[in-house]
């Protein structure tokens, strides 16, 4: 089994995580219908593009934005909203759909591993259902092989006899940092042999994959190509790779240089 992080490992994550861009666009639509939401200073700052205020609010501010934009609806409704956004949204720098800003070499790595008999999983700190909305057509990864952060849901039997899972404004599990090995154990039940990441949030996943007997491999995608993509590692709020760079040599983890190792970044580029 091989596990891949998503943001920054399989597709672009700058200038902000794609799911957060989705949340802000959705928030703008929601505040047009309900201006009262703008009474919340964090929500107003997000709509106005003032990321300093949003970031200053920390995890609490991000949780407020996610709670407003990702809950209060059925799971099917959320899937439809996310799928429609992904079909129409464009990245601010590359002016391409986000699902076209996936890394060609990582697609090739996935294909190679499948040919060698590996099961390929995505283990992401992003929302599990958001990533499942595009994992099949984009990466050829079935939704059952996506593990991510999960919000609470409840089963509802509707008056017309139909049923739904309703999304609640609470978090069930955060699949980031030490939560990644926990998620792997909970949803997959096997220790991976190979793990790909790009940030400090992937350290524990790489440790879980490589600290067991037998052949093991841990890899970090290193964003060092400011011309074709972005260059960042220790000094960034998005996709920070600081401890990972320090730990990698002793742990035997490989660094994949975008600038030196990849002939192409995106398909068709």
């Amino acid at each position: 089994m091989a596990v891949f992080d998503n943001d920054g490992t399989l597709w672009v994550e700058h200038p902000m995580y794609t799911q957060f861009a989705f949340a802000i666009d959705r928030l703008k639509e929601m505040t047009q219908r309900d201006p009262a939401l703008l009474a919340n200073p964090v929500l107003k700052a997000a709509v106005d593009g003032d990321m300093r205020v949003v970031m200053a609010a920390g995890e609490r501010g991000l949780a407020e934005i996610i709670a407003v934009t990702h809950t209060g609806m059925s799971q099917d409704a959320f899937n439809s909203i996310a799928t429609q956004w992904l079909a129409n949204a464009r990245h601010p720098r590359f002016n391409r759909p986000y699902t076209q800003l996936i890394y060609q070499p990582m697609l090739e790595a996935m294909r190679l591993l499948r040919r060698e008999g590996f099961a390929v999983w995505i283990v992401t700190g992003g929302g599990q259902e958001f990533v499942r909305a595009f994992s099949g057509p984009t990466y050829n990864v079935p939704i059952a092989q996506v593990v991510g952060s999960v919000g609470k849901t409840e089963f509802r039997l509707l008056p017309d006899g139909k049923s739904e899972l309703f999304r609640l404004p609470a978090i069930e599990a955060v699949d980031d940092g030490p939560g990644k090995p926990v998620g792997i154990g909970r949803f997959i039940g096997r220790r991976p042999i190979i793990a790909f990441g790009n940030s400090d949030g992937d350290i524990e996943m790489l440790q879980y994959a490589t600290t067991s007997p037998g052949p093991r491999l841990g890899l970090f995608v290193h964003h060092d190509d400011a011309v074709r993509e972005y260059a960042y590692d220790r000094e960034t709020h998005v996709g920070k790779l600081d401890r990972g760079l320090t730990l990698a040599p002793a742990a035997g983890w490989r660094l994949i240089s975008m600038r030196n190792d990849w002939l192409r970044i995106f398909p068709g580029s």
Side-chain angles (χ1 to χ4, degrees):
M1 186 179 68
V3 292
F4 291 75
D5 170 56
N6 184 53
D7 292 310
T9 301
L10 293 179
W11 74 350
V12 67
E13 66 180 352
H14 268 230
M16 69 176 68
Y17 297 117
T18 302
Q19 187 170 356
F20 192 54
F22 160 73
I24 291 177
D25 281 355
R26 175 155 169 74
L27 183 59
K28 290 177 180 178
E29 293 179 3
M30 295 177 69
T31 54
Q32 289 179 354
R33 297 192 301 268
D34 184 7
L37 291 170
L38 295 174
N40 182 313
V42 174
L43 301 186
K44 186 177 187 306
V47 170
D48 292 341
D50 190 347
M51 291 299 107
R52 290 178 301 174
V53 172
V54 174
M55 298 308 295
E59 293 184 1
R60 177 190 61 80
L62 297 177
E64 288 181 1
I65 295 171
I66 294 298
V68 169
T69 59
H70 285 55
T71 66
M73 71 194 82
S74 71
Q75 187 61 63
D76 289 340
F78 177 81
N79 293 344
S80 177
I81 292 169
T83 300
Q84 184 176 5
W85 183 86
L86 287 162
N88 294 291
R90 296 293 183 272
H91 188 275
R93 173 182 170 184
F94 298 107
N95 195 31
R96 295 171 62 179
Y98 288 91
T99 50
Q100 292 182 12
L101 298 177
I102 55 179
Y103 301 138
Q104 176 66 29
M106 302 305 283
L107 295 178
E108 295 170 6
M110 285 180 159
R111 287 198 293 267
L112 172 63
L113 288 167
R114 291 187 186 104
R115 287 201 301 269
E116 295 299 318
F118 279 78
V120 172
W121 289 71
I122 294 175
V123 180
T124 174
Q128 179 169 281
E129 299 307 327
F130 182 78
V131 177
R132 285 177 171 179
F134 62 91
S135 66
T138 303
Y139 303 128
N140 195 29
V141 175
I143 61 174
Q145 289 173 215
V146 174
V147 178
S149 296
V150 180
K152 287 188 176 181
T153 59
E154 68 177 14
F155 173 78
R156 292 185 175 182
L157 187 62
L158 304 177
D160 62 1
K162 297 180 180 179
S163 62
E164 67 181 14
L165 289 176
F166 192 81
R167 297 174 63 90
L168 303 174
I171 301 298
E172 185 78 31
V174 176
D175 193 65
D176 195 38
K180 288 201 171 190
V182 173
I184 290 170
R186 179 182 297 153
F187 295 106
I188 303 176
R190 290 185 292 145
R191 189 186 295 253
I193 294 174
I194 301 175
F196 291 82
N198 80 291
S199 74
D200 286 355
D202 301 311
I203 288 173
E204 288 82 359
M205 182 171 74
L206 267 66
Q207 289 172 330
Y208 187 54
T210 60
T211 56
S212 191
R216 302 278 166 169
L217 183 61
L219 306 100
F220 276 128
V221 174
H222 189 199
H223 293 262
D224 58 0
D225 194 331
V227 175
R228 296 185 298 171
E229 205 241 13
Y230 294 95
Y232 58 93
D233 44 45
R234 297 185 189 272
E235 301 296 331
T236 181
H237 293 294
V238 178
K240 185 174 186 177
L241 181 62
D242 184 11
R243 289 178 54 234
L245 281 179
T246 301
L247 294 173
W253 301 333
R254 309 289 181 85
L255 290 182
I256 303 168
S257 168
M258 279 190 165
R259 183 180 63 238
N260 299 322
D261 296 333
W262 288 3
L263 293 177
R264 285 192 295 168
I265 303 292
F266 308 120
S269 62

